[in-house]
Amino acid sequence: MASSVGFDPTSVNLTDPNLDQAKVICALQLGGNEYNGNLGARISSIFVIFIVSTSVTLFPVLASRKPSWRIPAGLYIAARYIGTGVIITTAFIHLLDPAYQAIGGISCVGMTGPWADYSWCPALILLGAVITFLTELGAKCYIEAKHGVQTEKDIQMMVTNQPNARPYNCSDGLEAPSNGTNSDSCDKKAANTMETPSTRVLQSIAFRQQIGAFLILEFGIIFHSVIIGLNLGVVGSEFSTLYPVLVFHQSFEGLGIGARMASIPFPTKAGWLPWVLCLAYGLTTPLSIAIGLGLRTTYVPNSFTANVVSGVLDSLSTGILIYTGLVDLLARDFLFECDRTKDAKQLALMVFYTLSGAAVMALLGKWA
């Protein structure tokens, strides 16, 4: 880091050919600790964000496992595709821009030391996308080598063709019938049939294909949640605006995670995993807020070290969410899905939900 020792930012000759621009940028970006009280409200944010975000994340998972709730199929579809839009916008609006602000070429970090020698921000974004791709490819190759299954469509057909078996996505996710019928019909059909051992094996295969990519998706969002939680604990006058915005922010992200989790056919022996994953997301931001409060008088959000940490995490998370959002969610659900609805109105509604989720998160990007 270019040291600011001996550098007076209040007395700078911009025409000096020997002026160290990095020192100017670092001096302008570096702010002091902005904590200004409101301790009670900050403590309340720990519990409010935990309760609201965890509840929203759990709802799609609970609804998919509770036929007695009689949740309309349309609500499943809305949750799933709003979540798709939220995840994509989180990548581009809430992660990409902050990553460049923290370690990009015109930031204090990006203009000093080895950080100035290479475009690390896009390189880390690429790394996040490649890690996600390799994880999915490895899972697919493992499944093919072990079970000889080629595609998820093969799994769907094999499950459906089993005697007394039901399609695994009928009651385990947000895959509502394409004809727009109520999800109760799926639940009643499932209740009147029995899963054979071979069906359970095939469901396990489907679970293994999907869980790796989902875990990377959740961890990418969790990285981002850590940073915004720390900032909420120490931010100054912006706290009154940032507090309610982050409640909505974390709720919409939680909806995206929960909706995608509900579509994964978790086997019985891993029935505990969805609850742990929901809790992990719900706890991340509140714990980070608590840590920020513990450091409220010493933590400097715009320090060199803080920018490096947040920039690296945001860059990796950007790559993860861009790949997941565009490949696993948009392309898979709308372009390459063999069972995509042929109902033009239903398809238009799915697109509308996706764009609505994206629009809401883009609007929230004005404040957080």
Side-chain angles (χ1 to χ4, degrees), residues 122-265:
L124 290 169
I125 293 171
L126 176 63
L127 177 61
V130 169
I131 290 173
T132 309
F133 162 71
L134 291 177
T135 300
E136 289 199 356
L137 179 62
K140 182 176 178 62
C141 291
Y142 171 78
I143 295 298
E144 290 178 358
K146 187 172 183 179
H147 301 284
V149 178
Q150 298 301 314
T151 65
E152 291 185 17
K153 180 65 175 177
D154 295 336
I155 298 174
Q156 177 85 21
M157 292 299 296
M158 293 171 69
V159 173
T160 304
N161 291 334
Q162 293 296 316
N164 298 322
R166 61 178 172 82
Y168 69 84
N169 65 353
C170 181
S171 66
D172 286 310
L174 305 183
E175 302 283 349
S178 60
N179 60 8
T181 59
N182 192 286
S183 61
D184 293 341
S185 62
C186 272
D187 297 324
K188 291 176 182 177
K189 182 178 179 181
N192 294 326
T193 58
M194 293 181 60
E195 289 184 341
T196 64
S198 57
T199 301
R200 288 192 292 271
V201 170
L202 293 172
Q203 290 177 336
S204 178
I205 293 173
F207 167 73
R208 293 175 185 175
Q209 281 190 331
Q210 299 178 43
I211 190 61
F214 174 80
L215 289 176
I216 292 178
L217 166 66
E218 177 163 357
F219 289 147
I221 293 177
I222 281 178
F223 287 157
H224 175 51
S225 298
V226 170
I227 302 301
I228 62 178
L230 283 172
N231 287 337
L232 185 62
V234 300
V235 73
S237 59
E238 300 98 336
F239 173 78
S240 59
T241 300
L242 195 59
Y243 182 179
V245 168
L246 286 188
V247 173
F248 286 101
H249 180 283
Q250 293 304 102
S251 297
F252 278 102
E253 282 190 351
L255 179 64
I257 290 177
R260 285 293 153 180
M261 197 183 313
S263 68
I264 299 176

Side-chain angles (χ1 to χ4, degrees), residues 186-348:
C186 272
D187 297 324
K188 291 176 182 177
K189 182 178 179 181
N192 294 326
T193 58
M194 293 181 60
E195 289 184 341
T196 64
S198 57
T199 301
R200 288 192 292 271
V201 170
L202 293 172
Q203 290 177 336
S204 178
I205 293 173
F207 167 73
R208 293 175 185 175
Q209 281 190 331
Q210 299 178 43
I211 190 61
F214 174 80
L215 289 176
I216 292 178
L217 166 66
E218 177 163 357
F219 289 147
I221 293 177
I222 281 178
F223 287 157
H224 175 51
S225 298
V226 170
I227 302 301
I228 62 178
L230 283 172
N231 287 337
L232 185 62
V234 300
V235 73
S237 59
E238 300 98 336
F239 173 78
S240 59
T241 300
L242 195 59
Y243 182 179
V245 168
L246 286 188
V247 173
F248 286 101
H249 180 283
Q250 293 304 102
S251 297
F252 278 102
E253 282 190 351
L255 179 64
I257 290 177
R260 285 293 153 180
M261 197 183 313
S263 68
I264 299 176
F266 287 90
T268 302
K269 64 180 180 180
W272 54 271
L273 188 55
W275 317 115
V276 171
L277 293 174
C278 288
L279 189 62
Y281 171 76
L283 279 172
T284 300
T285 299
L287 287 177
S288 299
I289 296 172
I291 293 172
L293 287 177
L295 302 173
R296 61 186 181 277
T297 59
T298 57
Y299 179 72
V300 181
N302 291 322
S303 67
F304 186 88
T305 301
N307 280 334
V308 169
V309 173
S310 64
V312 169
L313 292 181
D314 282 349
S315 297
L316 290 172
S317 299
T318 298
I320 292 170
L321 267 62
I322 285 178
Y323 180 94
T324 302
L326 298 183
V327 177
D328 288 341
L329 305 186
L330 276 189
R332 175 179 164 186
D333 285 356
F334 289 99
L335 301 180
F336 306 126
E337 176 54 64
C338 297
D339 292 330
R340 189 192 67 201
T341 178
K342 304 302 187 292
D343 186 333
K345 291 183 178 179
Q346 180 80 350
L347 181 59

